[in-house]
Amino acid sequence: MFSKPIFKQTFKANFKLWLIFTVIMTLLHIALIAVFDQSTIIDMSGMVKDTPLANLLGEATFLGMLASTFYGIHGVLLPIVFIIMTANSLIASQVDRGSMAYLLSTPTKRSTVVRTQATYLIASLIIMFLIITLVGLSSIQIFQGDVDINEKDYLMLNLGLFLLMFATSGISFFFSCVFNLSKNSLAWGAGIPMAFFLLHLMGDVDSSLEGLKYVSMNTLFDTHAILNGGNYAVQFAALAVIGIVLYVLGIRVFKQKDLPL
């Protein structure tokens, strides 16, 4: 079911990549929290008034600006890149290089290998977003202590972003399990998440293209509903289900498919 030696090896092999992305995202999050004050928000809103960027910036509040920047662009794109690189390296890349054949030549079962790799990817995202959230809460107290901020909304933004990345990782992991070649795994495991990101971004920037974002899974992470007391529980549940189903399917496919061993 789970192999500690394989998990430890996977952790060591991917730690530097995980650390780089976690540090970059955390520092960027701190910077955005520190920069945004009421005067900055008003100035930015005035600068982009009557332009397509007005839709992208959204609400002229502290959390509204964070939702439009970090939770709409930076905090989505950076973990997507991490997920794409990591998911491919966990399964497809090892099959492509032949190292998976060596691993499976031991008494270790396929199911144990693939479940362990899935566990690593999910755990790495959980820890990444826990660090970002905790550092973010501390940064808000330091830089925005005099501003009334709804901490529940902030925590829900982080939970929603994690669930979106969990579902996205399910896509990349699934295709890493399906294909034996890295180029095919990356074509689908990177292409679909990046397409979702771009479609959602285009729909936010240009109101005439708003319909595009409803083709994207990213629309299920509805920051507007979170910040305005709307219903987002169904969307959160849908992201969780998408991620679980894709991981289960990926594990099943890998266990049953022919491998070039």
Side-chain angles (χ1 to χ4, degrees):
M1 292 292 292
F2 178 83
S3 171
K4 288 184 179 180
I6 294 176
F7 186 89
K8 186 177 179 180
Q9 180 183 5
T10 302
F11 174 81
K12 289 182 177 179
N14 293 276
F15 177 72
K16 288 184 179 179
L17 183 68
W18 174 86
L19 183 62
I20 289 170
F21 276 91
T22 301
V23 169
I24 291 174
M25 288 181 63
T26 302
L27 292 177
L28 179 60
H29 195 41
I30 293 172
L32 290 173
I33 290 172
V35 165
F36 286 144
D37 56 33
Q38 197 59 40
S39 60
T40 304
I41 292 171
I42 293 172
D43 290 344
M44 290 181 66
S45 298
M47 289 170 58
V48 301
K49 186 179 181 181
D50 300 324
T51 70
L53 289 177
N55 294 327
L56 185 61
L57 287 178
E59 302 171 51
T61 64
F62 172 73
L63 286 182
M65 297 297 282
L66 272 185
S68 301
T69 53
F70 185 80
Y71 296 100
I73 302 176
H74 315 95
V76 177
L77 183 58
L78 286 171
I80 284 177
V81 175
F82 166 76
I83 286 167
I84 289 168
M85 297 173 67
T86 305
N88 180 70
S89 71
L90 293 178
I91 302 293
S93 178
Q94 293 192 46
V95 175
D96 198 359
R97 297 196 316 265
S99 57
M100 184 63 72
Y102 172 77
L103 181 61
L104 294 178
S105 66
T106 67
T108 308
K109 296 180 179 179
R110 281 196 198 187
S111 58
T112 300
V113 172
V114 70
R115 287 194 183 103
T116 302
Q117 303 295 60
T119 300
Y120 170 78
L121 183 53
I122 296 169
S124 68
L125 289 174
I126 291 174
I127 297 172
M128 176 185 287
F129 282 99
L130 275 177
I131 291 172
I132 293 169
T133 301
L134 292 174
V135 172
L137 285 171
S138 298
S139 300
I140 288 173
Q141 293 298 320
I142 294 170
F143 298 108
Q144 304 292 340
D146 56 342
V147 179
D148 185 18
I149 296 171
N150 190 321
E151 288 191 359
K152 178 188 174 184
D153 288 348
Y154 174 76
L155 292 174
M156 289 301 103
L157 285 171
N158 284 279
L159 176 60
L161 182 57
F162 164 74
L163 289 173
L164 175 60
M165 291 304 105
F166 171 66
T168 301
S169 70
I171 295 173
S172 297
F173 188 79
F174 172 76
F175 286 111
S176 185
C177 291
V178 168
F179 295 109
N180 294 330
L181 297 177
S182 285
K183 63 180 182 179
N184 296 331
S185 168
L186 289 172
W188 290 90
I192 292 177
M194 291 303 297
F196 281 163
F197 172 76
L198 292 173
L199 288 171
H200 188 265
L201 184 62
M202 290 166 64
D204 278 341
V205 172
D206 191 341
S207 58
S208 66
L209 300 175
E210 186 177 4
L212 290 177
K213 69 181 184 180
Y214 295 107
V215 182
S216 169
M217 179 184 72
N218 295 35
T219 303
L220 293 172
F221 176 38
D222 189 349
T223 58
H224 180 78
I226 293 172
L227 299 181
N228 291 278
N231 180 18
Y232 51 85
V234 174
Q235 292 95 316
F236 278 18
L239 288 171
V241 169
I242 290 170
I244 292 169
V245 169
L246 286 170
Y247 271 101
V248 170
L249 288 176
I251 291 170
R252 180 174 296 180
V253 167
F254 182 77
K255 286 166 57 180
Q256 297 177 352
K257 75 174 184 174
D258 292 330
L259 289 173
L261 302 177

